[in-house]
Amino acid sequence: QSRLFARNVRGFLGAATEVNKAIIETIKNDPGQFLYRNNGITIVCDESEFKAKGPGKHYLVLKNPQVVNGQQTSRSLATVSSEQAEKVEVIAKVVTIERSEFHESAYDDLINDIVIATNQQSKVSLPDLHSNDKTQIQLERALRRRGFYYGRKSEPYSQYVAKSDGQPIVT
């Protein structure tokens, strides 16, 4: 198991963290929503082969797979029963990189670039998480009718100015 996560940037943070509690709660109580609420996992491998096991049953065979992003998702799924885990769908991005096409250091550099790129999500503030709430949109529309531009999402001030059409800006 640890070999599968060897290139991941951190270990499993445990089932008691807020994020992992939310993942596990969704798996247990609302598995149909899991696909929409979870970012999924990213796997790099040396080779991949798409196979059919029968009508409508397909799978991938991966050589030297490494989960480089999504360990919290993967390990949270492992903490619940098989019956519960089988009810969820997970987005999986599989990046196949044939080692033979690279010098060893170039291969390692590419894998490291993928690890960094897939683990550097921008932190989203609580106000931004609510910027598309119905109330925020209604407020934006009401202010627009009164001649104001309401910047409900975080962005550089120059973007507010560009979008405001000369209206006074409210943020």
Side-chain angles (χ1 to χ4, degrees):
Q1 182 177 357
S2 61
R3 188 173 170 333
L4 181 62
F5 301 105
R7 289 192 183 255
N8 206 290
V9 294
R10 65 178 172 214
F12 181 52
L13 299 176
T17 65
E18 290 303 313
V19 168
N20 291 342
K21 281 196 264 186
I23 290 172
I24 293 165
E25 184 176 317
T26 302
I27 294 166
K28 290 179 175 180
N29 301 323
D30 206 356
Q33 290 293 308
F34 192 82
L35 182 68
Y36 308 114
R37 295 180 183 174
N38 186 275
N39 290 332
I41 62 175
T42 301
I43 303 167
V44 295
C45 62
D46 294 345
E47 296 175 21
S48 60
E49 185 179 356
F50 189 73
K51 292 194 171 194
K53 193 174 185 175
K57 297 192 184 242
H58 302 89
Y59 62 98
L60 277 174
V61 175
L62 307 178
K63 181 178 178 185
N64 297 323
Q66 286 286 301
V67 175
V68 297
N69 183 273
Q71 182 167 189
Q72 305 314 306
T73 296
S74 303
R75 301 282 297 271
S76 292
L77 278 162
T79 68
V80 301
S81 71
S82 299
E83 185 178 290
Q84 291 170 320
E86 288 173 5
K87 291 180 182 177
V88 302
E89 293 182 10
V90 179
I91 295 169
K93 176 170 67 171
V94 177
V95 180
T96 305
I97 305 168
E98 295 186 30
R99 284 180 189 254
S100 61
E101 295 181 16
F102 295 89
H103 290 98
E104 193 62 31
S105 64
Y107 175 85
D108 287 338
D109 289 346
L110 179 57
I111 298 295
N112 286 334
D113 288 346
I114 293 168
V115 169
I116 290 168
T118 60
N119 284 285
Q120 280 197 335
Q121 296 176 344
S122 300
K123 184 175 174 142
V124 180
S125 69
L126 188 58
D128 281 341
L129 287 172
H130 293 285
S131 67
N132 287 327
D133 288 353
K134 188 182 213 178
T135 303
Q136 294 298 314
I137 293 169
Q138 290 171 340
L139 180 60
E140 177 185 37
R141 290 176 181 160
L143 285 167
R144 186 181 318 130
R145 287 191 298 272
R146 287 166 180 76
F148 292 92
Y149 174 77
Y150 176 51
R152 60 185 166 88
K153 298 180 182 184
S154 294
E155 56 190 335
Y157 188 76
S158 61
Q159 291 297 314
Y160 293 145
V161 171
K163 293 177 179 179
S164 72
D165 260 352
Q167 297 173 312
I169 298 170
V170 178
T171 59

